[in-house]
Amino acid sequence: MFTKTPAVTPATGPAATATVALASPPGDGPIAHAVGVSDDEFRAALSRLAAGVVLITAHDPDAGARGEDVGMTATAFLSVSLDPPLVMVSVRNDSRMDDLLAQQPLWAVSVLSGHQRHVAGRFAMKGRISDQLLFQDIPCERGESSGAPLIGGALATLECRTEQRVVAGDHTLVIGRVLATTTSEVDDGPLTYFRGKYRQLG
C-alpha cells in the first residue's frame, strides 16, 4: 500500500521560517491589540485560507510502562527546505504536544485523506479523552525512524527529527529534518480545512 523512501542521515543546522497557526475558536468578544488587528479580524481573514490537514504524532517513552502515543491535528504544517529536507509545524505553547516535543526530538506526520475527517476531528477535540483511547481503533503502524504512529490510509507520512524550535507569540514553530517518508498508492483527495470546517477536495 505504501512505497517506502529511504531514510536520510540526520544532521543539525540552522533553518527558520514563519507561518500562521490555525486560531482557536472565538471567545466572548473581540480582543483589541495595541498594534494590529483584533482576534476576530485575524481569525476571519485566515479562515479564508484553505489548508491541508495532518496528524502530528510522537511517542512519550516516559508515560507508563510502555510509554504513550500522542497525537495532534494540525493545519499549520508546511515544507521549509529541499536541501536539507525540512518541514515545520506550529504547536500551541504549553500544549501536550508542545511539552512532549520539547523533550522528544522524534515525531511523525500523517497527511490525512478526504475520508479521514473523523481522525482529524477526534484529535482536535477540547477536553478530550486520553491519547491511548484516541488511538485505540485507528489503524496505524510504528515508524522505524521515529517510533511514532503512522496512520493507516494516510496519503503520505513523514518521520522527522527536530532541528530547531522557534517561539512565535503563543505558538512554537518546530522545524524538523525529514528522515523517511511513505506515499500511498490509493487515489484519494486530501482533507482540507476552510472557513472553520473540514472539507474533502473534489
Side-chain angles (χ1 to χ4, degrees):
M1 183 176 179
F2 290 101
T3 303
K4 190 79 173 181
T5 302
V8 297
T9 304
T12 57
T17 188
T19 190
V20 178
L22 179 67
S24 57
D28 296 331
I31 300 176
H33 300 282
V35 177
V37 298
S38 70
D39 286 3
D40 288 349
E41 290 170 327
F42 179 75
R43 292 188 183 103
L46 269 295
S47 72
R48 268 65 173 181
L49 176 64
V53 183
V54 303
L55 187 69
I56 307 297
T57 55
H59 183 72
D60 183 356
D62 297 326
R66 299 182 180 177
E68 183 179 49
D69 294 324
V70 177
M72 179 196 81
T73 303
T75 58
F77 171 78
L78 74 161
S79 168
V80 174
S81 167
L82 183 61
D83 183 17
L86 300 175
V87 293
M88 190 204 71
V89 64
S90 178
V91 297
R92 182 172 51 82
N93 294 343
D94 301 321
S95 64
R96 174 75 171 95
M97 185 61 73
D98 180 45
D99 291 343
L100 176 56
L101 294 188
Q103 304 297 324
Q104 166 63 282
L106 298 173
W107 44 284
V109 182
S110 295
V111 180
L112 300 183
S113 76
H115 294 98
Q116 292 181 310
R117 184 179 307 188
H118 65 290
V119 177
R122 177 182 297 191
F123 285 90
M125 290 189 301
K126 287 188 173 182
R128 66 192 195 186
I129 57 178
S130 72
D131 284 271
Q132 182 177 359
L133 293 176
L134 292 177
F135 280 103
Q136 197 166 36
D137 60 348
I138 294 179
C140 59
E141 61 183 50
R142 196 161 298 282
E144 294 180 4
S145 298
S146 65
L150 309 178
I151 304 302
L155 297 181
T157 66
L158 303 91
E159 297 184 73
C160 309
R161 181 195 300 272
T162 298
E163 295 244 324
Q164 190 173 0
R165 289 169 55 87
V166 180
V167 176
D170 57 9
H171 279 64
T172 295
L173 311 180
V174 182
I175 300 165
R177 176 181 289 255
V178 179
L179 306 177
T181 67
T182 65
T183 54
S184 174
E185 297 177 358
V186 177
D187 185 15
D188 192 10
L191 182 65
T192 62
Y193 193 80
F194 180 67
R195 300 193 73 172
K197 294 181 179 179
Y198 296 115
R199 303 174 190 265
Q200 186 172 354
L201 189 64

